[in-house]
Amino acid sequence: MTETVRDFWKSGTILAALLIAVVMPAGIVSASETSPEVAWNVTFAPENNNKFDAVAPTADGGFIALGSTLAEKYGGSESLLLVKTDGRGNETWTVTMPEIAPASVAETDDGGYIIGAYNMSTTVVDQDFNYQGSSFLIRTNAAGEEEWRQVIPGMKVSSVEETADGGYAAIGWLWNPPESENETTAVIVKTDGDGTPAWNRTFPGISANVGTVTADGGYVLGGTKSPFTYDIGDAFLIRLDADGNTLWHENYQVPVIFDVKETDDGRFVYAGNYWYGLVDGDGKEVWLRNMEGLTGYAVELRPSGGYVVAGTDARSGEGFVFGTDGDGTILWDTAFTATGIYGAASAPGGYTLAGIRFLSPDTSAAWLAGITEAVSPAPTAAPGFGAAAAGAALLLLLAGRRRRG
């Protein structure tokens, strides 16, 4: 969770009693497919203010959602919220953990769950802000009952995933002292199956918002230079091998990366503030697309090819989701009023979205929704630049052959 953008409220948001899906302005996209239908949506409100930051599929066809609750919007104590649902968002069980904030959640191979969480405090010393805190790796069984908890002092965890050896990889950043040259140091901590650290790697002067285990057993980290200021050129991806050795470190002309996924052919697609892009297996840019004021918190792969990006409009506070082809051209889009979207997961026949539903100026609910996407053939109209160039080259080749004949 990034505190500056994933809030329990947004000033000026117009609240609605019903969730309504609307098409985004035509100037933002060039859609050529029918937008998915909202199959179901549910809310959870154990306290006055609630939200989900992450959602992941489970082996039984349901979902595990992670978020937080606040009894009071101002000055309240945040508690972690963990909810298990069936395939249509119906609650199976709910667990809360006091005094910690959510980062990520995933199902483990044995049907339990691994949670990344943290706490943070801020003090002012000589007009400089001093950030301190710790991260927690929390292992639960299939019923959400805590089995163990490991503390990583000084770290703000962003994501945690299970590794092939039964351990875990926690990715985030370390808070540097106020007099330091850099505010943060990106870090990956590899642990054993009990959460005990085995090794770590650090990267000064940057902060990692996301990390994933790659198909070859290595890792990819993504983020930005500072968690407080996002400037063009600050975003990065770092690829490591299974032992944590750096294979490549690339920066991109975008402010920040919030999510990254490995594609079936070994490339990486990412989303962040106002941009989404694709890089090859060596981190070299394949294409980059602008999305005009939209913050992409989640990116997923489409079964038919292409990608899905979900997040929140930084201007209006409305949630959005859109699907693209393999060149990043937007084919369909949907927006959600009075709703912010902070996470997404692939689901059979569609996707599950997670975030916040604004109920009143002072209350909100944690929100999940399932959308279904019709299986469509690959589009033939309005191809991306690469497809258009290839088509033009083919026509020239055929014309040349006719002239030689």
Side-chain angles (χ1 to χ4, degrees):
M1 182 180 73
T2 303
E3 293 77 20
T4 56
V5 292
R6 298 190 186 187
D7 224 337
F8 276 96
W9 63 91
K10 182 173 180 67
S11 300
T13 300
I14 300 176
L15 304 178
L18 295 176
L19 179 66
I20 305 173
V22 298
V23 177
M24 287 191 287
I28 295 178
V29 298
S30 177
S32 60
E33 289 186 3
T34 302
S35 296
E37 295 182 357
V38 178
W40 54 266
N41 73 89
V42 294
T43 57
F44 303 84
E47 295 289 350
N48 288 333
N49 295 276
N50 313 269
K51 62 182 174 64
F52 285 134
D53 294 89
V55 62
T58 55
D60 62 2
F63 304 96
I64 186 74
L66 181 74
S68 57
T69 69
L70 266 176
E72 301 295 333
K73 187 164 68 173
Y74 302 102
S77 176
E78 188 172 16
S79 294
L80 183 146
L81 173 66
L82 184 68
V83 179
K84 175 69 177 71
T85 77
D86 65 14
R88 294 188 62 83
N90 299 305
E91 179 181 352
T92 303
W93 49 257
T94 295
V95 170
T96 58
M97 302 180 187
E99 306 294 333
I100 55 175
S104 73
V105 64
E107 186 179 33
T108 55
D109 285 345
D110 64 358
Y113 304 99
I114 184 67
I115 300 163
Y118 66 95
N119 59 25
M120 188 181 74
S121 63
T122 306
T123 58
V124 181
V125 179
D126 296 329
Q127 297 184 336
D128 289 326
F129 286 93
N130 182 21
Y131 295 90
Q132 296 177 321
S134 296
S135 289
F136 307 91
L137 302 185
I138 303 171
R139 180 67 157 79
T140 77
N141 62 18
E145 299 166 335
E146 187 172 326
E147 295 182 336
W148 52 255
R149 179 182 300 205
Q150 289 284 358
V151 181
I152 306 177
M155 180 182 180
K156 191 278 179 189
V157 67
S158 297
S159 63
V160 58
E161 288 191 9
E162 189 175 21
T163 54
D165 61 2
Y168 304 96
I171 290 130
W173 66 79
L174 303 173
W175 297 110
N176 294 336
E179 65 275 9
S180 302
E181 179 181 357
N182 302 303
E183 296 168 317
T184 57
T185 295
V187 63
I188 175 172
V189 179
K190 174 68 176 69
T191 79
D192 63 16
D194 295 322
T196 302
W199 54 259
N200 69 79
R201 302 289 184 268
T202 56
F203 307 88
I206 55 178
S207 54
N209 293 318
V210 64
T212 187
V213 179
T214 56
D216 62 1
Y219 312 92
V220 164
L221 287 64
T224 189
K225 184 176 180 180
S226 167
F228 307 110
T229 57
Y230 303 146
D231 295 323
I232 293 291
D234 284 354
F236 70 86
L237 291 175
I238 301 173
R239 187 167 188 178
L240 311 176
D241 65 17
D243 297 319
N245 302 306
T246 299
L247 300 178
W248 48 259
H249 181 164
E250 296 286 344
N251 280 78
Y252 306 100
Q253 290 303 304
V254 299
V256 60
I257 291 173
F258 285 127
D259 196 18
V260 62
K261 291 291 191 301
E262 185 176 14
T263 66
D264 294 338
D265 58 1
R267 300 189 291 182
F268 299 94
V269 62
Y270 66 81
N273 264 18
Y274 316 144
W275 301 88
Y276 60 103
L278 181 72
V279 304
D280 65 20
D282 295 319
K284 304 304 180 183
E285 186 173 286
V286 177
W287 50 255
L288 178 65
R289 304 285 182 260
N290 180 265
M291 49 183 171
E292 300 183 19
L294 305 181
T295 297
Y297 288 123
V299 61
E300 294 290 331
L301 309 183
R302 296 180 71 196
S304 58
Y307 312 97
V308 164
V309 177
T312 298
D313 190 320
R315 302 157 298 186
S316 67
E318 291 187 346
F320 73 88
V321 58
F322 61 74
T324 80
D325 64 12
D327 289 326
T329 301
I330 296 176
L331 303 177
W332 56 258
D333 59 273
T334 301
F336 299 88
T337 61
T339 303
I341 297 175
Y342 302 142
S346 294
Y351 311 92
T352 298
L353 310 175
I356 186 171
R357 171 82 179 280
F358 300 100
L359 303 177
S360 77
D362 296 313
T363 60
S364 59
W367 172 83
L368 291 177
I371 61 174
T372 57
E373 181 180 29
V375 178
S376 302
T380 56
F385 179 80
L394 179 59
L395 290 174
L396 288 173
L397 177 61
L398 292 174
R401 286 179 176 173
R402 290 192 186 101
R403 284 195 297 270
R404 286 193 296 271

